[in-house]
């Protein structure tokens, strides 16, 4: 069994020895099993590797994406559909016990998917992500890499990813700090997210480069999930992007919100969004001048969900 610690560079070990990978800046020594906000050590900590067909069409194509779902997260959203692996109060799920087993599984999944590896919730696991990318390259395997994150990032860490990430896929969840604190248990989300996406935009610009099959090769796609009873918040997010970044960037406006369980203390979140709510946000999208991206069908709720308990993917 090969321990991932042996694969880390000195720089990666240094980052883990006083962790500031995300804005929480916990400064814990994860090499010594100290735990910060994400309650994650320095091991591989991958909950599932699977073919995922629920991403944007420019990523999923006809065959799907090889998604690598990391355990735990630097956000704790009360409505998270991946709560079985993202809940930081639980034991970190680690399905793959060696670097070789991770690489072998990725290679296997790539055989039946588009030539894309998507890293989901990678922020606390960036050193492990870098190891995976290097090991694939050592085997002369060069898929496109997608960084699928909450948007709660440190700009200086993102700068170090410029040469290895092909497509950034960040959320822009909230424009209101109070709502971010209530719903995702994080501080200063709007500021950190905006700064992070500005850095991603600096690296990639507003042009999403695709191949002859219209599959993404390089660029930035900003996601926003519309929450029930929070149409005005969605409008403010769109306004922030339009004023601070660009109306030419690719947006993915998601109407898929589905409460995966009873959310105690947040009654407004215990339903899907209405057709009227969705259409109001879409109308604002166009009124601001956005013209590139994807508008998700409301029928997408509760579809294409990973099944982390049985280590498989559900396409209901």
């Amino acid at each position: 069994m090969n321990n991932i610690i042996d694969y880390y560079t000195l720089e990666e070990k240094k980052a883990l020895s006083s962790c500031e990978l995300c804005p929480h800046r916990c400064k814990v020594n994860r090499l010594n099993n100290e735990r910060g906000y994400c309650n994650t050590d320095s091991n591989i900590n991958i909950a599932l590797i699977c073919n995922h067909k629920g991403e944007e069409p420019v990523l999923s194509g006809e065959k799907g994406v090889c998604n690598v779902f990391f355990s735990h997260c630097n956000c704790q959203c009360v409505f998270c559909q991946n709560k079985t692996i993202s809940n930081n109060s639980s034991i970190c799920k680690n399905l793959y016990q060696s670097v070789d087993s991770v690489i072998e599984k990725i290679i296997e999944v790539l055989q039946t998917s588009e030539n894309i590896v998507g890293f989901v919730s990678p922020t606390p696991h960036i050193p492990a992500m870098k190891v995976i990318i290097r090991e694939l390259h050592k085997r002369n395997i060069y898929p496109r890499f997608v960084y699928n994150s909450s948007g709660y990032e440190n700009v200086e860490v993102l700068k170090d990813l410029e040469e290895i990430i092909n497509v950034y896929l960040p959320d822009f969840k909230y424009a209101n700090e109070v709502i971010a604190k209530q719903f995702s248990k994080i501080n200063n989300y709007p500021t950190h997210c905006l700064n992070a996406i500005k850095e991603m935009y600096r690296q990639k610009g507003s042009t999403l480069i695709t191949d002859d099959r219209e599959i993404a090769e390089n660029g930035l796609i900003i996601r926003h999930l519309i929450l029930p009873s929070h149409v005005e918040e969605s409008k403010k997010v769109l306004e922030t992007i339009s004023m601070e970044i660009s109306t030419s960037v690719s947006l993915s406006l998601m109407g898929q919100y589905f409460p995966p369980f009873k959310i105690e203390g947040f009654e407004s979140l215990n339903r899907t969004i209405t057709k009227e709510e969705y259409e109001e946000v879409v109308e604002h999208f166009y009124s601001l001048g956005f013209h590139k991206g994807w508008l998700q069908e409301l029928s997408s709720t509760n579809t294409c969900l990973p099944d982390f308990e049985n280590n498989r993917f559900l396409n209901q």
Side-chain angles (χ1 to χ4, degrees), residues 128-154:
M129 180 188 77
K130 289 180 176 178
V131 169
I132 292 169
I133 292 172
R134 288 198 298 268
E135 289 303 306
L136 286 170
H137 287 173
K138 285 180 183 178
R139 292 162 173 78
N140 291 317
I141 297 171
Y142 293 88
R144 300 157 195 172
F145 296 109
V146 176
Y147 190 87
N148 180 346
S149 85
S150 67
Y152 197 55
E153 306 284 345
N154 272 346

mmCIF file of all heavy atoms in Angstrom, residues 128-154:
data_model
loop_
_atom_site.group_PDB
_atom_site.id
_atom_site.type_symbol
_atom_site.label_atom_id
_atom_site.label_comp_id
_atom_site.label_asym_id
_atom_site.label_seq_id
_atom_site.Cartn_x
_atom_site.Cartn_y
_atom_site.Cartn_z
ATOM 1 N N ALA A 128 -3.643 16.631 -2.385
ATOM 2 C CA ALA A 128 -3.984 15.307 -2.916
ATOM 3 C C ALA A 128 -4.393 15.408 -4.382
ATOM 4 O O ALA A 128 -4.063 14.540 -5.200
ATOM 5 C CB ALA A 128 -5.106 14.679 -2.089
ATOM 6 N N MET A 129 -5.120 16.453 -4.728
ATOM 7 C CA MET A 129 -5.520 16.678 -6.119
ATOM 8 C C MET A 129 -4.288 16.803 -7.010
ATOM 9 O O MET A 129 -4.231 16.235 -8.116
ATOM 10 C CB MET A 129 -6.384 17.925 -6.222
ATOM 11 C CG MET A 129 -6.859 18.252 -7.625
ATOM 12 S SD MET A 129 -7.686 19.866 -7.737
ATOM 13 C CE MET A 129 -6.241 20.960 -7.694
ATOM 14 N N LYS A 130 -3.297 17.540 -6.544
ATOM 15 C CA LYS A 130 -2.070 17.716 -7.324
ATOM 16 C C LYS A 130 -1.339 16.387 -7.511
ATOM 17 O O LYS A 130 -0.788 16.121 -8.589
ATOM 18 C CB LYS A 130 -1.156 18.731 -6.639
ATOM 19 C CG LYS A 130 -1.660 20.163 -6.701
ATOM 20 C CD LYS A 130 -0.686 21.105 -5.994
ATOM 21 C CE LYS A 130 -1.097 22.552 -6.108
ATOM 22 N NZ LYS A 130 -0.170 23.453 -5.389
ATOM 23 N N VAL A 131 -1.338 15.559 -6.472
ATOM 24 C CA VAL A 131 -0.719 14.235 -6.578
ATOM 25 C C VAL A 131 -1.408 13.420 -7.670
ATOM 26 O O VAL A 131 -0.761 12.786 -8.517
ATOM 27 C CB VAL A 131 -0.762 13.488 -5.234
ATOM 28 C CG1 VAL A 131 -0.374 12.011 -5.422
ATOM 29 C CG2 VAL A 131 0.153 14.151 -4.214
ATOM 30 N N ILE A 132 -2.732 13.425 -7.668
ATOM 31 C CA ILE A 132 -3.498 12.669 -8.666
ATOM 32 C C ILE A 132 -3.160 13.149 -10.069
ATOM 33 O O ILE A 132 -2.936 12.331 -10.986
ATOM 34 C CB ILE A 132 -5.004 12.811 -8.391
ATOM 35 C CG1 ILE A 132 -5.369 12.103 -7.092
ATOM 36 C CG2 ILE A 132 -5.830 12.258 -9.556
ATOM 37 C CD1 ILE A 132 -6.774 12.397 -6.595
ATOM 38 N N ILE A 133 -3.105 14.446 -10.271
ATOM 39 C CA ILE A 133 -2.797 14.990 -11.594
ATOM 40 C C ILE A 133 -1.394 14.561 -12.033
ATOM 41 O O ILE A 133 -1.189 14.120 -13.171
ATOM 42 C CB ILE A 133 -2.923 16.527 -11.577
ATOM 43 C CG1 ILE A 133 -4.392 16.925 -11.400
ATOM 44 C CG2 ILE A 133 -2.354 17.133 -12.864
ATOM 45 C CD1 ILE A 133 -4.612 18.417 -11.186
ATOM 46 N N ARG A 134 -0.431 14.659 -11.131
ATOM 47 C CA ARG A 134 0.952 14.258 -11.476
ATOM 48 C C ARG A 134 1.038 12.779 -11.819
ATOM 49 O O ARG A 134 1.711 12.387 -12.785
ATOM 50 C CB ARG A 134 1.903 14.583 -10.323
ATOM 51 C CG ARG A 134 2.180 16.061 -10.136
ATOM 52 C CD ARG A 134 3.441 16.266 -9.297
ATOM 53 N NE ARG A 134 3.327 15.718 -7.956
ATOM 54 C CZ ARG A 134 2.908 16.395 -6.889
ATOM 55 N NH1 ARG A 134 2.502 17.655 -7.019
ATOM 56 N NH2 ARG A 134 2.861 15.824 -5.699
ATOM 57 N N GLU A 135 0.339 11.952 -11.036
ATOM 58 C CA GLU A 135 0.417 10.509 -11.269
ATOM 59 C C GLU A 135 -0.254 10.115 -12.584
ATOM 60 O O GLU A 135 0.213 9.205 -13.270
ATOM 61 C CB GLU A 135 -0.210 9.753 -10.097
ATOM 62 C CG GLU A 135 0.608 9.810 -8.823
ATOM 63 C CD GLU A 135 2.026 9.278 -9.010
ATOM 64 O OE1 GLU A 135 2.165 8.120 -9.505
ATOM 65 O OE2 GLU A 135 2.978 10.000 -8.704
ATOM 66 N N LEU A 136 -1.326 10.781 -12.954
ATOM 67 C CA LEU A 136 -1.941 10.522 -14.258
ATOM 68 C C LEU A 136 -0.991 10.922 -15.380
ATOM 69 O O LEU A 136 -0.830 10.194 -16.372
ATOM 70 C CB LEU A 136 -3.262 11.282 -14.382
ATOM 71 C CG LEU A 136 -4.437 10.724 -13.572
ATOM 72 C CD1 LEU A 136 -5.608 11.700 -13.577
ATOM 73 C CD2 LEU A 136 -4.895 9.370 -14.123
ATOM 74 N N HIS A 137 -0.352 12.057 -15.236
ATOM 75 C CA HIS A 137 0.596 12.504 -16.251
ATOM 76 C C HIS A 137 1.787 11.559 -16.373
ATOM 77 O O HIS A 137 2.289 11.313 -17.478
ATOM 78 C CB HIS A 137 1.078 13.915 -15.931
ATOM 79 C CG HIS A 137 0.043 14.970 -16.174
ATOM 80 N ND1 HIS A 137 0.216 16.296 -15.816
ATOM 81 C CD2 HIS A 137 -1.190 14.901 -16.750
ATOM 82 C CE1 HIS A 137 -0.862 16.982 -16.167
ATOM 83 N NE2 HIS A 137 -1.724 16.164 -16.716
ATOM 84 N N LYS A 138 2.240 11.005 -15.248
ATOM 85 C CA LYS A 138 3.345 10.034 -15.286
ATOM 86 C C LYS A 138 2.987 8.809 -16.110
ATOM 87 O O LYS A 138 3.865 8.155 -16.685
ATOM 88 C CB LYS A 138 3.725 9.615 -13.863
ATOM 89 C CG LYS A 138 4.515 10.648 -13.083
ATOM 90 C CD LYS A 138 4.847 10.128 -11.694
ATOM 91 C CE LYS A 138 5.586 11.182 -10.878
ATOM 92 N NZ LYS A 138 5.892 10.716 -9.499
ATOM 93 N N ARG A 139 1.686 8.517 -16.168
ATOM 94 C CA ARG A 139 1.207 7.375 -16.950
ATOM 95 C C ARG A 139 0.777 7.792 -18.359
ATOM 96 O O ARG A 139 0.103 7.051 -19.054
ATOM 97 C CB ARG A 139 0.047 6.701 -16.216
ATOM 98 C CG ARG A 139 0.473 6.012 -14.909
ATOM 99 C CD ARG A 139 -0.719 5.738 -14.009
ATOM 100 N NE ARG A 139 -0.404 4.953 -12.829
ATOM 101 C CZ ARG A 139 0.178 5.411 -11.731
ATOM 102 N NH1 ARG A 139 0.549 6.676 -11.655
ATOM 103 N NH2 ARG A 139 0.410 4.611 -10.703
ATOM 104 N N ASN A 140 1.175 9.010 -18.754
ATOM 105 C CA ASN A 140 0.844 9.563 -20.071
ATOM 106 C C ASN A 140 -0.662 9.664 -20.298
ATOM 107 O O ASN A 140 -1.160 9.457 -21.406
ATOM 108 C CB ASN A 140 1.494 8.734 -21.190
ATOM 109 C CG ASN A 140 3.009 8.875 -21.201
ATOM 110 O OD1 ASN A 140 3.529 9.981 -21.051
ATOM 111 N ND2 ASN A 140 3.701 7.758 -21.338
ATOM 112 N N ILE A 141 -1.374 9.981 -19.232
ATOM 113 C CA ILE A 141 -2.825 10.198 -19.319
ATOM 114 C C ILE A 141 -3.076 11.672 -19.034
ATOM 115 O O ILE A 141 -2.730 12.183 -17.965
ATOM 116 C CB ILE A 141 -3.572 9.296 -18.325
ATOM 117 C CG1 ILE A 141 -3.331 7.832 -18.682
ATOM 118 C CG2 ILE A 141 -5.070 9.608 -18.310
ATOM 119 C CD1 ILE A 141 -3.825 6.848 -17.665
ATOM 120 N N TYR A 142 -3.677 12.362 -20.015
ATOM 121 C CA TYR A 142 -3.837 13.806 -19.941
ATOM 122 C C TYR A 142 -5.286 14.230 -20.168
ATOM 123 O O TYR A 142 -5.610 14.821 -21.193
ATOM 124 C CB TYR A 142 -2.924 14.484 -20.962
ATOM 125 C CG TYR A 142 -1.458 14.322 -20.661
ATOM 126 C CD1 TYR A 142 -0.752 13.218 -21.139
ATOM 127 C CD2 TYR A 142 -0.793 15.251 -19.883
ATOM 128 C CE1 TYR A 142 0.597 13.062 -20.857
ATOM 129 C CE2 TYR A 142 0.558 15.101 -19.579
ATOM 130 C CZ TYR A 142 1.250 13.996 -20.079
ATOM 131 O OH TYR A 142 2.585 13.837 -19.779
ATOM 132 N N PRO A 143 -6.164 13.928 -19.213
ATOM 133 C CA PRO A 143 -7.540 14.425 -19.330
ATOM 134 C C PRO A 143 -7.585 15.918 -19.021
ATOM 135 O O PRO A 143 -6.615 16.502 -18.547
ATOM 136 C CB PRO A 143 -8.295 13.623 -18.269
ATOM 137 C CG PRO A 143 -7.252 13.356 -17.223
ATOM 138 C CD PRO A 143 -5.956 13.169 -17.962
ATOM 139 N N ARG A 144 -8.730 16.547 -19.274
ATOM 140 C CA ARG A 144 -8.952 17.916 -18.842
ATOM 141 C C ARG A 144 -9.414 17.874 -17.384
ATOM 142 O O ARG A 144 -10.180 16.978 -17.009
ATOM 143 C CB ARG A 144 -9.994 18.589 -19.729
ATOM 144 C CG ARG A 144 -9.575 18.647 -21.188
ATOM 145 C CD ARG A 144 -10.740 18.768 -22.123
ATOM 146 N NE ARG A 144 -10.332 18.473 -23.495
ATOM 147 C CZ ARG A 144 -11.166 18.351 -24.507
ATOM 148 N NH1 ARG A 144 -12.465 18.504 -24.338
ATOM 149 N NH2 ARG A 144 -10.708 18.079 -25.708
ATOM 150 N N PHE A 145 -8.967 18.821 -16.606
ATOM 151 C CA PHE A 145 -9.274 18.825 -15.179
ATOM 152 C C PHE A 145 -10.208 19.977 -14.836
ATOM 153 O O PHE A 145 -9.959 21.126 -15.201
ATOM 154 C CB PHE A 145 -7.989 18.922 -14.362
ATOM 155 C CG PHE A 145 -7.079 17.739 -14.530
ATOM 156 C CD1 PHE A 145 -5.883 17.851 -15.225
ATOM 157 C CD2 PHE A 145 -7.430 16.510 -14.000
ATOM 158 C CE1 PHE A 145 -5.053 16.763 -15.375
ATOM 159 C CE2 PHE A 145 -6.606 15.399 -14.153
ATOM 160 C CZ PHE A 145 -5.407 15.526 -14.851
ATOM 161 N N VAL A 146 -11.278 19.652 -14.104
ATOM 162 C CA VAL A 146 -12.293 20.618 -13.688
ATOM 163 C C VAL A 146 -12.210 20.801 -12.178
ATOM 164 O O VAL A 146 -12.198 19.815 -11.418
ATOM 165 C CB VAL A 146 -13.711 20.148 -14.086
ATOM 166 C CG1 VAL A 146 -14.770 21.112 -13.553
ATOM 167 C CG2 VAL A 146 -13.826 20.022 -15.603
ATOM 168 N N TYR A 147 -12.175 22.052 -11.754
ATOM 169 C CA TYR A 147 -12.119 22.397 -10.332
ATOM 170 C C TYR A 147 -13.505 22.866 -9.918
ATOM 171 O O TYR A 147 -13.900 24.005 -10.153
ATOM 172 C CB TYR A 147 -11.079 23.496 -10.123
ATOM 173 C CG TYR A 147 -10.739 23.807 -8.688
ATOM 174 C CD1 TYR A 147 -9.748 23.091 -8.020
ATOM 175 C CD2 TYR A 147 -11.368 24.850 -8.008
ATOM 176 C CE1 TYR A 147 -9.408 23.399 -6.705
ATOM 177 C CE2 TYR A 147 -11.031 25.164 -6.705
ATOM 178 C CZ TYR A 147 -10.056 24.428 -6.053
ATOM 179 O OH TYR A 147 -9.708 24.731 -4.756
ATOM 180 N N ASN A 148 -14.265 21.960 -9.298
ATOM 181 C CA ASN A 148 -15.682 22.165 -8.970
ATOM 182 C C ASN A 148 -15.794 22.494 -7.483
ATOM 183 O O ASN A 148 -15.748 21.606 -6.635
ATOM 184 C CB ASN A 148 -16.441 20.885 -9.327
ATOM 185 C CG ASN A 148 -17.922 20.958 -9.041
ATOM 186 O OD1 ASN A 148 -18.398 21.848 -8.346
ATOM 187 N ND2 ASN A 148 -18.672 19.995 -9.551
ATOM 188 N N SER A 149 -15.935 23.791 -7.175
ATOM 189 C CA SER A 149 -15.842 24.191 -5.771
ATOM 190 C C SER A 149 -16.979 25.104 -5.334
ATOM 191 O O SER A 149 -17.751 25.612 -6.148
ATOM 192 C CB SER A 149 -14.499 24.900 -5.511
ATOM 193 O OG SER A 149 -14.580 26.273 -5.823
ATOM 194 N N SER A 150 -17.025 25.364 -4.036
ATOM 195 C CA SER A 150 -18.030 26.236 -3.438
ATOM 196 C C SER A 150 -17.781 27.706 -3.738
ATOM 197 O O SER A 150 -18.634 28.549 -3.477
ATOM 198 C CB SER A 150 -18.043 26.045 -1.923
ATOM 199 O OG SER A 150 -16.821 26.522 -1.359
ATOM 200 N N GLY A 151 -16.587 28.021 -4.226
ATOM 201 C CA GLY A 151 -16.204 29.410 -4.428
ATOM 202 C C GLY A 151 -15.545 30.042 -3.217
ATOM 203 O O GLY A 151 -15.074 31.182 -3.288
ATOM 204 N N TYR A 152 -15.488 29.311 -2.105
ATOM 205 C CA TYR A 152 -14.884 29.832 -0.876
ATOM 206 C C TYR A 152 -13.402 29.485 -0.911
ATOM 207 O O TYR A 152 -12.970 28.441 -0.391
ATOM 208 C CB TYR A 152 -15.587 29.216 0.327
ATOM 209 C CG TYR A 152 -15.358 29.945 1.649
ATOM 210 C CD1 TYR A 152 -15.634 31.301 1.778
ATOM 211 C CD2 TYR A 152 -14.896 29.265 2.771
ATOM 212 C CE1 TYR A 152 -15.441 31.965 2.983
ATOM 213 C CE2 TYR A 152 -14.719 29.905 3.978
ATOM 214 C CZ TYR A 152 -14.985 31.261 4.077
ATOM 215 O OH TYR A 152 -14.801 31.924 5.283
ATOM 216 N N GLU A 153 -12.609 30.347 -1.530
ATOM 217 C CA GLU A 153 -11.224 30.044 -1.872
ATOM 218 C C GLU A 153 -10.274 31.148 -1.426
ATOM 219 O O GLU A 153 -10.679 32.298 -1.241
ATOM 220 C CB GLU A 153 -11.095 29.885 -3.399
ATOM 221 C CG GLU A 153 -12.032 28.879 -4.031
ATOM 222 C CD GLU A 153 -11.618 27.451 -3.803
ATOM 223 O OE1 GLU A 153 -10.451 27.217 -3.404
ATOM 224 O OE2 GLU A 153 -12.450 26.549 -4.028
ATOM 225 N N ASN A 154 -8.993 30.782 -1.324
ATOM 226 C CA ASN A 154 -7.928 31.748 -1.121
ATOM 227 C C ASN A 154 -7.296 32.066 -2.467
ATOM 228 O O ASN A 154 -6.877 31.154 -3.197
ATOM 229 C CB ASN A 154 -6.849 31.196 -0.183
ATOM 230 C CG ASN A 154 -7.161 31.477 1.273
ATOM 231 O OD1 ASN A 154 -8.016 32.290 1.583
ATOM 232 N ND2 ASN A 154 -6.459 30.797 2.167
#
